[in-house]
Amino acid sequence: MDGHSMNHGVDPGSNNFLRACRREEVDTTPIWLMRQAGRYMPEYRALRERWGILDIIKQPELACQVTLQPINAFALDAAIIFADILPILEGMGLSLEFIKGEGPLIHNPIRSADDIERLRIPTPEQSLPFTLEAIRLARTELDPLGIPLIGFSGAPFTLASYAIEGGPSKNLKRVKALMMNEPGLWRALMTKLSTAAGEYLYAQATSGAHVLQLFDSWCGELSPWDYETHVLPYVQRTIEIAKRSGVPIILFGVGTSGLLGLMSTSGADVIGADWRISLPDARERIGPDIAIQGNLDPIALLASWDALKERAQRVLADAAGVPGHIFNLGHGILPETPTDNVKRLVEFVHTPTSGN
Ligand code: CP3
């Protein structure tokens, strides 16, 4: 165990991560890293020799074990449940596979009104019981360490992107075509996806997640007008459903500099910013009432320690003086990341003088 003192349960009054979500003063800036469990860790690669990613996600003991790998290796302030944004689509009737070396593939992507009509909305207990169970298991391990647990879901637009494109896509041609040409179908699809995502987040909170993050990874591909008209209402709907749980909600996207003002009307308590915008500029657009998460370039973790430290210090200095900053990357950690840099980064962020 590395840097975590033993106590019992997570005290929301004194936990730095939970305090930062509520924009309260903290003694050191909390840090966690998107995709903190994953291929850059030898422990994870060892498990992946034997199991596929969906195998790990669907066996709660394994998902719990992977959730704890980065917690055991680094003094991180939060754990994120090991899962993925795409399995929710399986319960809705889509057939999902992760192809080695290529990423996700949906064998029957949405291409017609009938496909949208056929999409089911099972309860999370029916379609994703393994992740809810993994959350309960992870809580029993994390509570003695005083580490809070983050649950997450894909946001409706990013889920629609995979459901329609069938896999990763460069310009999101098909999803944008549906959005622009078929407003009625778009509304039907986005209503179903926001119900499913909202209920899934809510169930994760009632299963034990302290905080929920909504990943809208690809929303930065949209014009502000399309985002406001065709996407934001469904983000708001998702958050409204999840919020009944009472836990803080983080809204994250990539390339969102032009959307941050709109995202601040989503109902989220925390908004993620990537490295393409400075934190003071992001704060200006988000306003004073929402916390900020970010925003180190993940590539900085591949650089020398001196170069990495300089950029981490910049992030801390940019955030200094205003409560409500959670240190994170602007997007997920890369598989090539040296674990030693992660360890040093976490220690650096926790050193009280680092931001000066
Ligand atoms: O943060 C964490 O540690 C929790 C785990 C997590 C995973 N996926 C596990 C995973 C989280 C939060 C996600 C979210 C996710 N999944 C997103 C949103 C975040 C982002 O990066 O924008 C997206 C778009 C996906 C969909 C997805 N899953 C893709 C496109 C891929 C393949 C690309 C890749 O990185 O390999 C995945 C696979 C995946 N999900 C991996 C992990 C650790 C790598 C798979 C492996 O072990 O082979």
Side-chain angles (χ1 to χ4, degrees):
M1 198 55 31
D2 202 313
H4 298 304
S5 58
M6 296 287 281
N7 65 31
H8 289 282
V10 176
D11 173 11
S14 64
N15 180 271
N16 281 333
F17 173 60
L18 299 178
R19 288 183 63 87
C21 289
R22 300 189 302 260
R23 290 176 299 109
E24 294 166 3
E25 301 277 353
V26 292
D27 42 27
T28 60
T29 301
I31 171 171
W32 70 280
L33 303 172
M34 287 184 282
R35 302 278 192 113
Q36 65 190 21
R39 285 165 298 188
Y40 74 102
M41 293 193 77
E43 300 91 317
Y44 178 78
R45 289 197 302 271
L47 257 189
R48 285 281 280 106
E49 304 250 313
R50 174 148 182 229
W51 305 102
I53 176 160
L54 285 176
D55 300 325
I56 298 177
I57 289 171
K58 291 179 182 181
Q59 297 179 79
E61 291 78 11
L62 290 181
C64 173
Q65 187 186 330
V66 175
T67 300
L68 292 165
Q69 285 176 347
I71 300 302
N72 292 334
F74 316 110
L76 294 157
D77 292 277
I80 178 163
I81 195 64
F82 190 77
D84 194 84
I85 64 166
L86 298 176
I88 194 171
L89 297 175
E90 289 187 302
M92 300 183 79
L94 300 184
S95 158
L96 169 68
E97 192 186 344
F98 282 93
I99 313 281
K100 218 178 164 60
E102 286 182 45
L105 176 70
I106 287 166
H107 292 284
N108 53 346
I110 292 171
R111 292 290 152 84
S112 69
D114 278 354
D115 293 340
I116 295 171
E117 178 70 32
R118 266 198 298 274
L119 282 178
R120 301 186 294 266
I121 310 177
T123 66
E125 289 76 11
Q126 288 169 329
S127 67
L128 299 144
F130 37 83
T131 297
L132 302 180
E133 178 61 14
I135 287 173
R136 289 187 280 267
L137 286 178
R139 274 293 302 268
T140 65
E141 304 279 339
L142 291 165
D143 274 7
L145 306 173
I147 308 272
L149 179 62
I150 302 166
F152 69 92
S153 170
F157 177 74
T158 294
L159 291 175
S161 300
Y162 285 100
I164 293 168
E165 304 286 344
S169 153
K170 250 179 101 145
N171 47 23
L172 305 178
K173 260 192 286 213
R174 288 176 193 269
V175 65
K176 287 187 179 182
L178 186 82
M179 180 186 80
M180 293 177 183
N181 295 326
E182 306 279 358
L185 292 183
W186 181 253
R187 198 175 309 126
L189 174 62
M190 291 294 275
T191 302
K192 283 188 168 182
L193 290 171
S194 49
T195 302
E199 300 290 356
Y200 179 38
L201 287 171
Y202 179 83
Q204 290 180 74
T206 56
S207 300
H210 294 92
V211 172
L212 300 166
Q213 178 155 321
L214 194 49
F215 282 94
D216 212 353
S217 304
W218 311 141
C219 72
E221 297 296 321
L222 294 164
S223 73
W225 187 81
D226 274 312
Y227 181 76
E228 182 173 16
T229 310
H230 297 297
V231 171
L232 179 60
Y234 304 97
V235 174
Q236 288 166 334
R237 192 179 131 82
T238 307
I239 290 177
E240 204 175 285
I241 298 170
K243 267 249 165 124
R244 289 180 315 196
S245 67
V247 314
I249 315 249
I250 307 170
L251 175 61
F252 166 78
V254 181
T256 54
S257 305
L259 304 179
L260 290 172
L262 292 167
M263 290 167 82
S264 72
T265 68
S266 63
D269 304 276
V270 184
I271 291 182
D274 75 16
W275 60 93
R276 296 170 183 90
I277 187 167
S278 73
L279 287 182
D281 283 355
R283 167 60 68 203
E284 181 93 10
R285 293 173 196 201
I286 288 168
D289 301 332
I290 295 174
I292 297 188
Q293 176 172 281
N295 69 341
L296 185 72
D297 184 344
I299 301 285
L301 276 166
L302 309 185
S304 68
W305 168 242
D306 281 348
L308 167 57
K309 185 172 82 172
E310 190 179 6
R311 285 162 180 79
Q313 190 159 28
R314 196 68 257 157
V315 170
L316 288 171
D318 277 351
V322 188
H325 175 230
I326 297 153
F327 196 109
N328 205 318
L329 308 177
H331 200 179
I333 193 167
L334 294 161
E336 303 82 2
T337 301
T339 51
D340 204 45
N341 267 355
V342 176
K343 197 171 165 55
R344 291 170 86 165
L345 173 67
V346 174
E347 283 164 11
F348 181 75
V349 169
H350 284 156
T351 308
T353 52
S354 294
N356 301 331

